[in-house]
Amino acid sequence: MFVFVVLSLSSGLGYRFYNQPKLDVDKIAPQTLTAPSSANVEDVKTTEERRREARSGASAVWVDDPVINEQIHQNLQQLFTKGNQIRENLDNFPFVKTSVLSTATQTYLRQAPEPQWQQVLRGLDKNSNLTGLNSAQQLAVKKLRTYRESNSSQAFAQLLKAIAQARQRYNISLKALSAMSKDNTQSVYAQPETLYDATFLNLSDTDWQKTQIQVRQTLDRMLAQGIYPGLSKTNLNSAIGMQVSVSVPETAQPLARRLLSDAIAPNLIKDIEQTKLIAEQAAEAVEPAIVSIQKGEVTVKAGAKITQADFVLLDHFHLSQRGIDWLHLIRFSGMVGLAVAIFKLVERRIYAKLRPSDYLLILLLTLSAPLLIFLTKSFTGLPAIGLLVGSFYGTAIGGTVMVLLTILLSMGTELSWHYLVPSAAGGILGGLMAGQWRFPGREALRTREELATLGILIGLTQGVVYLLVNTAIAPLWYAVLGAAVLNGLAGLVWSILALGLSPYLEALFDLVTPIRLAELSNPNRPLLKRLADEAPGTFQHTLFVATLAEAAARALNCNVELVRAGVLYHDIGKMHDPLGFIENQMGGINKHDVINDPWKSAELIKKHVSEGLVMARQHKLPSAIQAFIPEHQGTILIAYFYQQAQQQQQNTEKVLHESDFRYDGPIPQSKETGIAILADACEAALRSLKDATPEAALAMVNKILKARWQDNQLVDSGLTRAEMSQIAHIFVQVWQQFHHQRIAYPKL
């Protein structure tokens, strides 16, 4: 079997070695070869590489985003609104005509500290000396004296009042700016400098209005030119400074730079469709790489290294000496043998009992991958293979098969890794997720809807991995986005195909999957409905046995779904004669009292096993389910009728053989059927207990389990003594749940 599997896999997975050229690229030519005829041959490999480079090197198309532009304008308008709110407290500036006081003098008088302002007021006295004042103060005093001399005292008083009001409003605005600066400093978003500072208060209303207009126009120009994402702050500020210097009043330029720097942001986005179009146009514009040669010209000289162009010509003229590469094929066969050995190691490690038909199915599914690659050059079917193997044989087998198959495909086929890696990712995910029920404590995927959801996840994984793998080559990820979507859809299609094939493979190869077991456990199945109708007592007995066995199977990390389904069908044979079993007599006449022959009664009791197998085969139940029918009784003794036979044998000459009163077996061959025989033995005893204590119930269960152990019914099941003790405690716990105490209701 090992040799057959290795040869089959080597021949299927290693087909690339069947037609390998001896004179390949980078090899040394053993002799000089000439062209037998003139030819112009396309170098497909070089052409494809150049087109791939053209796609990846295509420049991205950037367009401005209207939404971002609108947001930037809104940000700038908010900054202007804040500035206008600050200037509301200033009133108009200049606050008097410039013919009375110059703008510079008004600026000084409005912002001069209070001591300096008092010095100016004292300087208005005709006898005061101006030598202690600075130049700005002296100029202000002279201007004020001149105005006083040429105007009435009332007009002069009005002027001083206007100056005082302007100073008051200025100080209020200055305090507001200081408070704003303090808040900015304490904020998480604090900036090195306040956007609006004292110089902003000294702008005239005209300059402020002009600044707003020019800043808006500057912003429009810069947005029209476009701001690229990733543009450094230094370069952006430099561009802002150049724009501001030619349009904004000099006194307002620092403020304009700060406003634009705060409001502006990158507004260009990539136009994916246009970029893809340009990339494809660039690829299409690449001329095919043509290698030309004339008849009689030297294709390659002896001793020279064969280049790609040389190989194209050699292969065209059938001079590359293609044939079976035995050396590499033998090496590949060794790798296949190692992979098979690893598979067997994993199988033994997890105690999987695979049948020859299971090996055949895994082999066929594995060989379908290279067949698809050979036919399609791009599709592998790995998602479907992973999902099927995982759901049939569990996570360990599914994951191992997919990882080993991926490695062998990369070595034995010529499929590009751009296609292999995404498909392998989907296949490995399917193998691991579909078979998660093999992990202790993990529930199975019980419905095909859950597997369909897994198919969607496989498709997404395959698409994303394809995008990541190909983005590593083409920086313009959106150039391969369409192919990634198609690859994801392909993964989904493979999953759908696997779901469609699953029921047929289950029936053809006699497989039990969690989903099939869940379907068989449905009480509306025809056979179970017949059991409930024709043998209701047996059906109730079956339900309680299933509850006991399922709890034990879950605690021992066995196949819970198999135990539940197997126990539900273990007594279907009792339908051949329901009244022959006491649970169906409902207090009526005992049929065996009428028979009054323990040998015939024993035959009738034993017949429920053989008849059960006949019914199971008629309804095409899986062999794993059929195994519960004989193995749940093993070869145990039908003690009641055996004792009757012993009593009657004393009065007759009839020979008593113990084998006549034992079931035909076989004894349980797995932990699952071993649990079933124990649960079946304990069910009647536990059901009969009413007011017993848990200790008494445990003692009784241990006695029954001990009897089965000493009768050698469990030697082939794999159950240990420690597990037997654990099973006893679980049975008692389930019994307590069914027979919990209830309050006594008063009589009406």
Side-chain angles (χ1 to χ4, degrees), residues 370-656:
L371 178 62
L372 284 170
I373 295 174
F374 177 77
L375 295 175
T376 65
K377 307 301 181 183
S378 59
F379 293 118
T380 64
L382 292 181
I385 298 172
L387 202 150
L388 289 172
V389 176
S391 62
F392 291 162
Y393 304 111
T395 292
I397 297 295
T400 301
V401 168
M402 295 315 301
V403 171
L404 294 175
L405 179 57
T406 300
I407 296 173
L408 294 177
L409 286 176
S410 66
M411 299 170 58
T413 66
E414 296 179 343
L415 181 67
S416 171
W417 62 279
H418 307 105
Y419 297 102
L420 177 60
V421 172
S423 184
I428 293 173
L429 178 66
L432 295 176
M433 294 291 290
Q436 64 176 334
W437 60 282
R438 289 290 186 181
F439 280 127
R442 298 297 296 273
E443 290 295 330
L445 297 177
R446 290 197 176 114
T447 65
R448 302 200 188 272
E449 288 81 359
E450 291 175 330
L451 276 181
T453 303
L454 176 58
I456 295 174
L457 182 60
I458 290 173
L460 289 174
T461 300
Q462 185 165 331
V464 171
V465 173
Y466 182 89
L467 186 63
L468 294 175
V469 168
N470 287 274
T471 301
I473 299 175
L476 301 179
W477 59 270
Y478 34 82
V480 296
L481 183 60
V485 172
L486 292 177
N487 218 263
L489 290 176
L492 178 59
V493 169
W494 284 119
S495 301
I496 295 173
L497 181 62
L499 290 176
L501 286 174
S502 180
Y504 300 102
L505 294 177
E506 290 170 4
L508 184 61
F509 289 90
D510 191 24
L511 297 167
V512 287
T513 62
I515 292 176
R516 191 181 185 193
L517 292 173
E519 293 172 347
L520 290 173
S521 300
N522 188 336
N524 290 318
R525 300 283 296 191
L527 206 54
L528 295 181
K529 288 189 70 175
R530 275 189 57 198
L531 181 64
D533 292 338
E534 300 176 14
T538 300
F539 184 70
Q540 293 302 319
H541 154 79
T542 296
L543 294 180
F544 190 44
V545 174
T547 304
L548 293 172
E550 184 178 350
R554 181 174 288 105
L556 298 183
N557 296 324
C558 297
N559 190 336
V560 179
E561 289 74 19
L562 178 60
V563 169
R564 181 191 302 110
V567 170
L568 287 176
Y569 289 92
H570 80 286
D571 269 347
I572 57 175
K574 291 182 178 180
M575 287 189 290
H576 85 284
D577 192 352
L579 295 179
F581 303 88
I582 192 168
E583 67 265 20
N584 297 312
Q585 294 170 3
M586 305 298 179
I589 298 175
N590 192 330
K591 185 174 183 176
H592 296 283
D593 292 340
V594 178
I595 296 175
N596 195 27
D597 185 342
W599 280 270
K600 291 183 178 180
S601 293
E603 285 298 323
L604 187 151
I605 296 297
K606 290 167 61 176
K607 197 173 182 181
H608 89 274
V609 171
S610 58
E611 290 295 327
L613 289 173
V614 171
M615 293 179 185
R617 296 188 188 102
Q618 288 176 346
H619 286 79
K620 295 181 174 56
L621 293 182
S623 58
I625 300 295
Q626 294 183 27
F628 281 80
I629 296 175
E631 292 179 25
H632 87 278
Q633 296 291 3
T635 58
I636 64 174
L637 181 69
I638 306 174
Y640 181 83
F641 294 111
Y642 181 68
Q643 291 175 358
Q644 278 191 351
Q646 284 180 322
Q647 295 172 359
Q648 293 183 12
Q649 194 261 346
Q650 296 174 359
N651 302 323
T652 64
E653 297 180 355
K654 192 170 185 178
V655 179
L656 177 64

Side-chain angles (χ1 to χ4, degrees), residues 268-346:
L268 294 180
I269 58 173
K270 293 178 181 178
D271 188 332
I272 295 178
E273 292 301 324
Q274 286 297 321
T275 303
K276 288 170 59 177
L277 180 61
I278 290 177
E280 290 302 320
Q281 290 176 348
E284 292 175 1
V286 174
E287 296 291 337
I290 303 297
V291 182
S292 301
I293 195 170
Q294 298 297 321
K295 182 178 180 179
E297 286 187 16
V298 175
T299 304
V300 62
K301 293 183 179 179
K305 183 181 290 187
I306 299 174
T307 64
Q308 175 64 24
D310 296 337
F311 174 75
V312 170
L313 293 174
L314 291 175
D315 212 36
H316 175 73
F317 292 126
H318 304 291
L319 299 175
S320 57
Q321 301 178 19
R322 287 185 176 272
I324 299 177
D325 190 345
W326 290 106
L327 178 61
H328 285 90
L329 185 58
I330 292 173
R331 289 178 181 176
F332 181 72
S333 299
M335 293 298 298
V336 172
L338 178 61
V340 174
I342 293 174
F343 173 82
K344 288 294 295 181
L345 183 64
V346 172

